[in-house]
Amino acid sequence: MSTRSVWTESFPIRAYDITPRGTASPLAICDFLQEAAGNHADHLGVSMEDLLSDNRAWVLAFLHLEVDRYPSWHREVTLETWPSGLDGIYATREFVLSDDDGSCARATSAWFVIDTERRRPVRPPSILHDIDLPDRPRPLSKQQSKSSVPESAPLHERDFRVRYHDLDLNRHVNNVRYVEWAVETLDAGWLDAHVLSHLTLEFRAETTADDPVRAEAYAGVDADPETTFRHHLRHADSNRTLALASTRWRLADND
């Protein structure tokens, strides 16, 4: 069976995907990325189900997303995704989201495989070495780096507790919930007046059912600290860092 090195999938913008301003939310876009990546992995023979049968699982290590504009309710978007290579234990994957008016968003990501019994990284599936990578540039420059935990006082903080329906097939928290925790730490008034234009997310540790999570947002270190934040997600009891993120925002009127 021939395989497609570039996967193309369409998604309608449904009522449960939108924000109060009537456009898709950043969480919906992250859901589209995850769904298309999983479907392409299934097509390539390295789906989560394939790996779990051998006591292995995919884990997202890094995500960099940039959104130019958010598609409106009832519109249909097309997502292209493709593997872009192997970097040590990491398998990298790219994304381009568009609609009838052109490009909406771009993303790059890095994934690795863990042994689900030992909870340790293992080598990527050998089949990934045999995939013919498409001859196309990355939509975003690679920016994976180790961020540090902010040392200043947080501007905003909020507590969450992992719910049963936050869990994925591996019984650990779905990747998109980390994005939700980071974004929802900010005030509702801020979220109503701004849209997310840039996100980086680095995963550090797993969470599972009933874990307490403390989400903290700090002043950004970008050229415009008033529209950028750093985010620290940690286990509220052990203080173990779960993920680090950075976000950049623009006024909703400019969307």
Side-chain angles (χ1 to χ4, degrees):
M1 182 185 71
S2 62
T3 57
R4 287 181 280 166
S5 58
V6 178
W7 183 261
T8 302
E9 188 165 353
S10 295
F11 298 93
I13 307 300
R14 302 187 186 276
Y16 49 75
D17 295 322
I18 64 172
T19 66
R21 66 178 59 92
T23 57
S25 72
L27 303 180
I29 289 180
C30 290
D31 280 330
F32 298 158
L33 304 184
Q34 183 169 257
E35 181 71 9
N39 289 338
H40 195 198
D42 183 38
H43 174 72
L44 295 173
V46 287
S47 69
M48 182 68 83
E49 295 95 327
D50 293 325
L51 267 61
L52 285 174
S53 66
D54 195 28
N55 296 319
R56 296 179 296 169
W58 283 111
V59 174
L60 180 61
F62 173 80
L63 174 67
H64 175 197
L65 168 69
E66 291 193 0
V67 183
D68 300 317
R69 59 185 176 82
Y70 287 87
S72 301
W73 188 19
H74 300 308
R75 297 292 295 272
E76 184 171 84
V77 295
T78 299
L79 183 60
E80 291 182 290
T81 181
W82 64 94
S84 53
L86 296 172
D87 182 6
I89 66 170
Y90 297 103
T92 55
R93 174 172 284 278
E94 316 304 321
F95 304 87
V96 174
L97 183 74
S98 60
D99 62 13
D100 290 341
D101 294 325
S103 175
C104 299
R106 303 166 307 285
T108 185
S109 60
W111 308 69
F112 64 92
V113 176
I114 61 167
D115 182 312
T116 56
E117 295 182 337
R118 301 172 63 198
R119 312 311 301 178
R120 293 182 180 178
V122 296
R123 292 183 180 275
S126 59
I127 191 174
L128 295 181
H129 294 274
D130 301 326
I131 295 174
D132 292 328
L133 301 180
D135 183 18
R136 58 190 299 176
R138 293 176 184 267
L140 293 174
S141 61
K142 184 180 178 183
Q143 294 188 4
Q144 185 176 359
S145 62
K146 291 293 186 181
S147 299
S148 58
V149 176
E151 297 181 355
S152 58
L155 300 176
H156 309 278
E157 53 188 352
R158 185 172 177 181
D159 290 319
F160 299 89
R161 187 169 291 275
V162 176
R163 304 162 301 184
Y164 177 81
H165 290 97
D166 293 329
L167 305 181
D168 60 16
L169 194 61
N170 193 32
R171 291 189 173 272
H172 287 80
V173 170
N174 183 291
N175 301 322
V176 182
R177 296 286 72 75
Y178 291 82
V179 180
E180 180 180 6
W181 293 335
V183 169
E184 287 290 336
T185 306
L186 304 178
D187 290 339
W190 173 272
L191 297 177
D192 205 37
H194 297 80
V195 293
L196 178 70
S197 62
H198 171 101
L199 165 74
T200 62
L201 186 63
E202 299 176 23
F203 293 89
R204 297 294 182 84
E206 298 171 312
T207 46
T208 189
D210 210 38
D211 279 351
V213 176
R214 170 67 57 87
E216 300 166 332
Y218 298 78
V221 294
D222 217 344
D224 188 357
E226 293 185 357
T227 58
T228 60
F229 295 93
R230 292 174 296 160
H231 304 263
H232 181 207
L233 305 177
R234 60 182 175 87
H235 193 285
D237 290 341
S238 68
N239 287 328
R240 182 176 76 256
T241 296
L242 306 174
L244 296 170
S246 65
T247 58
R248 185 183 303 137
W249 304 76
R250 63 174 180 269
L251 288 173
D253 290 344
N254 296 330
D255 195 38

